[in-house]
Amino acid sequence: GQQLNQSPQSMFIQEGEDVSMNCTSSSIFNTWLWYKQEPGEGPVLLIALYKAGELTSNGRLTAQFGITRKDSFLNISASIPSDVGIYFCAGQVTDSWGKLQFGAGTQVVVTP
Amino acid sequence: NAGVTQTPKFRILKIGQSMTLQCAQDMNHNYMYWYRQDPGMGLKLIYYSVGAGITDKGEVPNGYNVSRSTTEDFPLRLELAAPSQTSVYFCASSLVLADEQFFGPGTRLTVL
């Protein structure tokens, strides 16, 4: 099946550092979404991207839709303890009827 | 608005038992989805629905059934529980295709 590769798998960072993670696909995507999941909760949408090359920010978060439409990255600047969680990318492949493919997630741990 | 609600939050089943995971949304969304999340993995789509009375299989439908008699409700049925169905189950909904999906808090199911 189609593969959506997310890296890194986990990150241990100090408070104040920047975080960067990315997703790549073998397929062309129409949409890239970035979600955050905290323990015991469902994923919550952080940023949605709809156009190749689009760069969108949400507070300290910035995400970009790759020009090739096969990749996306998420940056978190000046991390704080509440940034802890698992971050997932998700993409919608052309003609997939709104169905999303999810990456395996990047676990972020922030130490004071 | 409550958003997407799921019940129960936790459940332990014996092999061969059956149960229904409940999902409801009050956002008048046409599209609803069921996912399972295994440790260290992304979300896998089990079934989805594009409206009342219309359902279709996702990536991992075996062992599950769904129905959609109303816009609000999208229950997931396990007929003969197996240990391989031990997972966290998330229901989600969206207003339109290729748009953000809102997730419920999840149901943690263990089959022993």
Side-chain angles (χ1 to χ4, degrees):
Chain A
Q2 292 154 340
Q3 293 291 322
L4 186 53
N5 298 309
Q6 183 171 353
S7 64
Q9 189 174 15
S10 60
M11 303 185 72
F12 292 82
I13 59 173
Q14 282 200 314
E15 186 175 356
E17 288 184 344
D18 296 344
V19 176
S20 185
M21 62 195 79
N22 68 83
C23 281
T24 59
S25 169
S26 56
S27 303
I28 291 174
F29 281 3
N30 285 333
T31 302
W32 281 100
L33 306 174
W34 285 94
Y35 286 86
K36 179 186 178 186
Q37 185 179 24
E38 298 187 11
E41 302 291 332
V44 175
L45 183 71
L46 299 173
I47 292 178
L49 303 161
Y50 299 103
K51 290 183 185 177
E54 181 180 355
L55 185 71
T56 298
S57 293
N58 178 7
R60 294 178 295 105
L61 279 62
T62 301
Q64 184 161 30
F65 194 140
I67 290 291
T68 65
R69 296 172 64 190
K70 292 184 177 182
D71 62 331
S72 177
F73 73 77
L74 175 70
N75 285 344
I76 306 172
S77 62
S79 59
I80 58 178
S82 62
D83 290 332
V84 166
I86 302 176
Y87 293 79
F88 291 98
C89 63
Q92 189 219 19
V93 181
T94 308
D95 77 10
S96 68
W97 284 66
K99 291 180 287 184
L100 297 177
Q101 290 181 29
F102 283 81
T106 295
Q107 181 160 22
V108 173
V109 177
V110 181
T111 56
Chain B
N1 285 352
V4 179
T5 57
Q6 291 183 240
T7 56
K9 197 158 180 66
F10 303 95
R11 184 71 185 268
I12 297 175
L13 285 181
K14 293 182 180 178
I15 294 172
Q17 286 185 320
S18 61
M19 78 165 292
T20 299
L21 282 67
Q22 301 292 343
C23 173
Q25 53 91 9
D26 61 1
M27 297 174 283
N28 204 30
H29 287 173
N30 282 328
Y31 305 96
M32 296 188 73
Y33 315 82
W34 273 105
Y35 294 90
R36 59 176 289 170
Q37 183 179 37
D38 299 317
M41 306 288 286
L43 294 156
K44 302 286 187 184
L45 183 66
I46 304 171
Y47 270 95
Y48 68 101
S49 170
V50 300
I54 307 170
T55 63
D56 206 349
K57 296 177 181 178
E59 189 180 352
V60 289
N62 291 344
Y64 307 95
N65 278 303
V66 293
S67 60
R68 183 97 182 269
S69 56
T70 67
T71 300
E72 293 78 20
D73 301 299
F74 190 39
L76 177 72
R77 179 85 179 160
L78 283 72
E79 290 294 349
L80 291 170
S84 61
Q85 293 177 306
T86 293
S87 188
V88 182
Y89 291 84
F90 289 101
C91 179
S93 72
S94 65
L95 181 60
V96 296
L97 290 175
D99 205 346
E100 63 176 282
Q101 294 181 12
F102 294 87
F103 284 83
T107 294
R108 185 175 296 273
L109 176 68
T110 302
V111 182
L112 300 174

